Amino acid sequence: MTRKDELAEQKIMEYQSRLKHIDELYQRAHSLSANLDDKHESRKQLSDIAKQRANLKKKADHLDSINVSNWREEMIESAGPLAVWDVVAQQLEEFIERHE
């Protein structure tokens, strides 16, 4: 395995790890939302976050499926996706803090 292959694999594993973290936070937030007075607003907020998560999953799946020789170009094109992952996780963490 080349260094480029290793780096690509490392990034993909990092994305999968972040997605797992987001999924765990989402489950906690969803559980909390069932007991809230503002169920409609909370569910809308969680629905918006779920859409963001779905988009991140698509990007991760796409990166996992492309040829390693094109991987660097793809990463440059989608510069900054980790910041998006962090924003989604932060939104869920704030939701949980507000409602716990």
Side-chain angles (χ1 to χ4, degrees):
M1 185 178 280
T2 68
R3 180 74 178 137
K4 190 175 185 179
D5 292 339
E6 290 171 3
L7 288 173
E9 185 68 26
Q10 181 181 355
K11 279 295 180 195
I12 290 167
M13 287 183 354
E14 185 176 351
Y15 285 174
Q16 291 169 344
S17 173
R18 287 173 182 251
L19 186 62
K20 181 180 177 189
H21 178 66
I22 286 171
D23 288 344
E24 290 166 356
L25 289 171
Y26 183 83
Q27 288 298 348
R28 283 181 58 200
H30 190 271
S31 295
L32 286 171
S33 72
N35 302 323
L36 299 176
D37 294 333
D38 67 340
K39 288 182 184 177
H40 177 70
E41 183 60 33
S42 297
R43 289 197 175 135
K44 182 186 178 331
Q45 186 179 7
L46 288 176
S47 175
D48 292 343
I49 292 171
K51 289 174 188 172
Q52 292 174 340
R53 182 254 182 228
N55 287 334
L56 294 173
K57 173 84 168 103
K58 277 191 224 176
K59 287 180 184 182
D61 289 346
H62 174 70
L63 287 176
D64 195 21
S65 70
I66 61 175
N67 185 314
V68 173
S69 62
N70 298 327
W71 199 83
R72 183 171 181 213
E73 292 77 19
E74 289 283 336
M75 286 303 297
I76 290 170
E77 270 184 37
S78 62
L82 290 181
V84 176
W85 293 81
D86 290 339
V87 167
V88 173
Q90 183 179 9
Q91 288 174 341
L92 285 166
E93 288 167 350
E94 288 171 358
F95 181 95
I96 290 168
E97 286 177 18
R98 261 194 330 270
H99 297 93
E100 272 190 322

